[in-house]
Amino acid sequence: MKKYIFILLFLLCVSPAHSFELDWSVDDQIRENYQPSKLEQEVLPGLPSILKENTSPSTPVSPVQQKPVQSTNLNMAPSSTIQTEYSSGFQRVKKTSKPVDDSFTAIKIKKGTKFRVQSKTKVADWNTPGARMTFVTTAPVVQRYVSIPVGTTFKGVIQDSHQPNGFGNGGLLKLKADNVIINGSARPVDAKVIRANDKKIFFNNIKGKRGYCRGVANAVDRGERFYNKSRNTSKKLADNPVGVIVSPVPTIVGVVGYAVNFVASPITALWSKGDHISIPAGANYVIKLRENAYLY
């Protein structure tokens, strides 16, 4: 059976009646109507021309030299070269002066820590802001991983100051500790003064005594002294038979003067001044950290 099938297939393949004939008439009509050779020359863009170099073929070309790369475009001629910029792989790191507040190598002194110190500088309300001063600790301060021994130096600065002025105001000093010297190097701190010359300080302001109330009392005292003088004058006049008639007049004037000074004392006290501030060297202070301090 297989033989008959094979013979049948062989006869079908070799028989001329079953062969295929290709028809090229359609291709001939396309060539006559559209003229593909003319289409290629007019419609399609021309290929870019290669610039010939004026070098002899025997001259070797160095492998380091680079030729300009020509960009080809279908609509425009290649006239520009490609420019490339090279940047270094390493960039300079900007240095920042901001200290690292928290690191594994930093030892923190908590804010609120108090230091008993002694001043080595005399300060007064006539010192200008920005003047420097020095403190030395008189008692040790022990915290975790750190101990501030006796004799540690703190550096301070006068932030603000003024002498006594009107309205009974006294002098003013505002101090701040901004550095501590540990192992020969200065470390920044932010500390305020809470006691100065063994006196408690509020709002970090060392103020001289106010003079307003004292000005009021001085005005009343002036009226009282004037009244006492007028009374003495009236007594002397009363001892004289002729002056007894006018002896009440000085007393009346003294009473009026006393009343005027008493009533006007709150107003006249506005021109009074307070006391000066002068703290000698060796005075005791207490400074307190306002922010955490870090030692590296």
Side-chain angles (χ1 to χ4, degrees), residues 52-180:
K52 297 182 179 181
E53 296 181 356
N54 297 326
T55 58
S56 61
S58 61
T59 304
V61 180
S62 175
V64 180
Q65 297 177 355
Q66 296 181 357
K67 298 180 180 179
V69 180
Q70 298 179 351
S71 62
T72 60
N73 194 341
L74 296 178
N75 298 325
M76 57 186 298
S79 60
S80 61
T81 60
I82 299 176
Q83 297 181 356
T84 58
E85 295 181 358
Y86 299 93
S87 61
S88 174
F90 299 95
Q91 295 182 355
R92 182 176 295 178
V93 179
K94 295 181 179 180
K95 296 182 180 180
T96 57
S97 59
K98 183 179 180 180
V100 180
D101 292 339
D102 193 9
S103 65
F104 294 104
T105 59
I107 301 175
K108 181 174 70 174
I109 304 177
K110 297 179 181 179
K111 68 177 182 179
T113 303
K114 299 177 183 178
F115 299 90
R116 297 184 179 275
V117 296
Q118 189 178 70
S119 174
K120 296 298 181 181
T121 310
K122 178 182 178 180
V123 293
D125 53 18
W126 56 77
N127 289 123
T128 57
R132 305 291 298 178
M133 58 185 306
T134 303
F135 303 99
V136 177
T137 57
T138 57
V141 174
V142 179
Q143 288 192 356
R144 188 179 183 182
Y145 304 123
V146 65
S147 176
I148 308 298
V150 177
T152 301
T153 301
F154 280 84
K155 294 293 184 179
V157 62
I158 299 177
Q159 291 183 298
D160 192 12
S161 66
H162 67 71
Q163 297 186 18
N165 48 32
F167 299 95
N169 290 326
L172 172 71
L173 275 175
K174 189 174 182 180
L175 309 179
K176 173 187 176 182
D178 55 2
N179 281 286
V180 59

Side-chain angles (χ1 to χ4, degrees), residues 125 162-172 207-215 218 269-277:
D125 53 18
H162 67 71
Q163 297 186 18
N165 48 32
F167 299 95
N169 290 326
L172 172 71
K207 293 186 66 65
K209 291 183 179 179
R210 291 184 60 85
Y212 180 78
C213 294
R214 186 172 54 196
N218 291 336
L270 296 176
W271 284 268
S272 62
K273 294 183 179 181
D275 293 340
H276 284 274
I277 301 173

Side-chain angles (χ1 to χ4, degrees), residues 211-221 261-262 265-270 272:
Y212 180 78
C213 294
R214 186 172 54 196
V216 173
N218 291 336
V220 175
D221 290 341
N261 280 275
F262 182 81
S265 60
I267 300 174
T268 58
L270 296 176
S272 62

